[in-house]
Amino acid sequence: MAVESGACVVYEVTDYHPGNRCQDLIFGVTRMVPGKVGREFFMTRGHIHGIADRPEVYIGKKGRGLMLMESPAGETRVIEIGPDDICYVPPFWIHRSVNIGNEDFVMLFCYPADSGQDYGIIARSNGMKHRVMDDGKGCWALEENPAYQTRNRDDIKKLLGEAG
Ligand SMILES: [Fe+2]
């Protein structure tokens, strides 16, 4: 899968699907080019797993990036990832990767094969709560997204699989 911005491919994903059962693992590689839109670093579309309690593991191979994670209740966590760093995305966390370097950011990933992806969760909140921006001093900084819509209690319960 390749995702484009204008005429250029921003990131591409190549993976192996052995099947669709939770006992199988999808394994692959993601590559994102460096760049920014305004001051915001290039990022993946981001998602929560369609079966939200499925986790994922990422392993940095090349470049410098971040995993931007958000809980259904709106807590943000950021993990920096460089070559050979391992990032565990726990069950129920929305996740998106960001290239904060000046070269391709490449990671391996692995997750249960029945996980699926819900990309709409970010759109329904008008984006993630935080954006990863160039701070103008050679580093990155989190900035609050003023358009962010907090999820209501019922939506959070539904995501967590709790009875309403
Ligand atoms: Fe995922």
Side-chain angles (χ1 to χ4, degrees):
M1 177 181 73
V3 177
E4 299 180 18
S5 172
C8 102
V9 174
V10 174
Y11 68 94
E12 59 183 4
V13 176
T14 306
D15 55 16
Y16 174 63
H17 285 240
N20 294 316
R21 308 176 312 149
C22 66
Q23 299 94 327
D24 288 323
L25 292 171
I26 292 172
F27 187 83
V29 61
T30 173
R31 180 184 70 86
M32 189 180 347
V33 301
K36 285 174 281 193
V37 176
R39 292 175 44 240
E40 188 169 19
F41 287 108
F42 279 177
M43 64 192 136
T44 57
R45 194 174 170 198
H47 58 267
I48 192 168
H49 288 152
I51 301 177
D53 69 354
R54 299 300 194 251
E56 186 158 0
V57 172
Y58 288 85
I59 302 170
K61 292 302 292 177
K62 185 173 185 283
R64 282 195 321 126
L66 301 177
M67 190 62 63
L68 176 62
M69 296 187 280
E70 180 179 302
S71 74
E75 179 186 346
T76 295
R77 291 188 187 176
V78 179
I79 303 292
E80 286 202 48
I81 302 173
D84 294 333
D85 288 334
I86 298 172
C87 172
Y88 179 65
V89 179
F92 301 111
W93 283 74
I94 300 159
H95 47 288
R96 134 182 302 167
S97 50
V98 183
N99 188 344
I100 56 167
N102 50 21
E103 60 178 327
D104 282 3
F105 178 43
V106 180
M107 291 186 294
L108 302 176
F109 59 84
C110 187
Y111 59 94
D114 66 340
S115 302
Q117 284 89 12
D118 174 2
Y119 293 102
I121 191 167
I122 293 176
R124 291 192 293 276
S125 291
N126 290 331
M128 291 181 76
K129 188 170 185 177
H130 289 96
R131 302 163 70 190
V132 181
M133 315 296 282
D134 185 341
D135 71 353
K137 302 171 201 159
C139 202
W140 59 273
L142 283 187
E143 287 186 12
E144 282 213 21
N145 168 11
Y148 180 75
Q149 296 279 323
T150 305
R151 290 170 202 93
N152 66 43
R153 189 174 297 189
D154 287 344
D155 287 345
I156 293 169
K157 277 185 169 181
K158 205 168 137 193
L159 281 166
L160 296 177
E162 294 171 359

